[in-house]
Amino acid sequence: MNNILCVDTTSEFCSVSLFNGYKLIKSANSKIERSHSKLIISLVDKVIKGSKLEIADVDAFSISSGPGSYTGLRIGLSCLKGFCYGLEKPLISINTLKILAKSATEKIDDIDAYICPMVDARRMEVYTKLFNYSLEEISDDSALILDENSFINYEDKTIFFVGSGSQKFKGISDNGNFKFLPDIIPNSIHMGELSFNKFLNNDFEELSTFEPNYIKDFYLIKQKG
């Protein structure tokens, strides 16, 4: 089996997990806001040493590619690109919304339901998409401004809403078919199966051109001195 190091830095929760095939070997995480750049290397080191491996024993690196925190996305991707270039190993990317949906399947026993992960995008806007229980995409990634008519086309369908933006919708929705699962956040421990499947299919990113999945354009605002 192959070793894949998975990293998620898309929220305030920074996590690193090492998998051998589909099996989780070691994981480490931290929740210290605005500290990803200081934490990520130490977390990688902790996971590698705790697995009694060397970083060169990693066969591929997998990044949670967004949507999420612009700064967190860039820090995580820059770190893994550095490992990939230095060790000549491939890069795998996993959509963060799919990671959230994957984690939700562990708490859902309704295989006919849809899953709707939501990442907070400030005010009443969220980054979101729909999946079925098998994690097949029902809709594309989108930036959605929530109101009481959101998902009206699915009002007769059971949908489980998860992620940092889902509580916004819970506050305005009165549809009894819409369920809300709390405390589900992007976490690298849910990236193993998704990453290994891509590894088996040689589904790798081009290091020189790959960018995070912001959904909306990223603009760096320079403050006036």
Side-chain angles (χ1 to χ4, degrees):
M1 285 292 184
N2 301 97
N3 297 315
I4 302 177
L5 188 78
C6 301
V7 171
D8 188 293
T9 56
T10 60
S11 68
E12 71 278 4
F13 187 80
C14 182
S15 65
V16 175
S17 299
L18 181 69
F19 290 84
N20 180 250
Y22 297 121
K23 181 181 179 181
L24 177 63
I25 303 301
K26 186 73 175 179
S27 183
N29 61 73
S30 182
K31 189 177 180 181
I32 303 177
E33 294 187 33
R34 294 183 293 277
S35 298
H36 290 0
S37 60
K38 300 177 182 178
L39 292 172
I40 187 168
I41 296 299
S42 63
L43 290 177
V44 169
D45 186 61
K46 182 178 181 180
V47 166
I48 294 297
K49 288 183 177 178
S51 304
K52 298 182 180 179
L53 297 174
E54 301 292 337
I55 192 67
D57 295 323
V58 174
D59 297 294
F61 294 84
S62 181
I63 187 70
S64 176
S65 60
S69 161
Y70 288 166
T71 301
L73 283 167
R74 298 188 75 83
I75 290 171
L77 182 57
S78 295
C79 177
L80 288 205
K81 277 189 175 183
F83 284 126
C84 290
Y85 274 121
L87 298 169
E88 298 183 343
K89 300 295 175 73
L91 176 69
I92 297 167
S93 73
I94 306 294
N95 185 294
T96 305
L97 296 171
K98 193 169 188 177
I99 297 169
L100 286 168
K102 172 65 175 174
S103 63
T105 61
E106 299 179 5
K107 298 186 177 182
I108 297 172
D109 57 9
D110 184 353
I111 63 173
D112 295 318
Y114 285 171
I115 303 171
C116 185
M118 291 180 168
V119 172
D120 191 355
R122 298 182 182 180
R123 299 184 178 87
M124 289 305 292
E125 188 173 26
V126 295
Y127 301 135
T128 188
K129 73 188 309 178
L130 276 173
F131 296 89
N132 64 18
Y133 187 84
S134 299
L135 301 185
E136 297 169 329
E137 297 179 1
I138 305 301
S139 65
D140 295 329
D141 292 14
S142 66
L144 176 66
I145 297 176
L146 296 168
D147 61 34
E148 63 273 11
N149 294 316
S150 297
F151 303 95
I152 193 170
N153 293 335
Y154 301 95
E155 60 183 353
D156 296 325
K157 184 75 177 180
T158 298
I159 303 178
F160 288 87
F161 293 87
V162 301
S164 59
S166 62
Q167 293 305 302
K168 293 179 178 181
F169 190 44
K170 182 179 181 180
I172 60 175
S173 173
D174 59 2
N175 189 321
N177 291 323
F178 294 170
K179 314 296 183 181
F180 296 85
L181 298 179
D183 304 323
I184 292 181
I185 61 176
N187 191 328
S188 61
I189 63 172
H190 301 295
M191 294 173 63
E193 181 180 349
L194 300 172
S195 299
F196 190 52
N197 287 340
K198 279 198 165 187
F199 184 89
L200 293 175
N201 291 315
N202 293 315
D203 187 358
F204 305 131
E205 303 298 341
E206 173 56 52
L207 285 178
S208 62
T209 59
F210 181 72
E211 290 292 331
N213 174 23
Y214 297 122
I215 295 185
K216 295 171 68 174
D217 290 336
F218 170 69
Y219 297 99
L220 181 62
I221 301 175
K222 184 176 181 181
Q223 295 183 346
K224 294 181 179 180

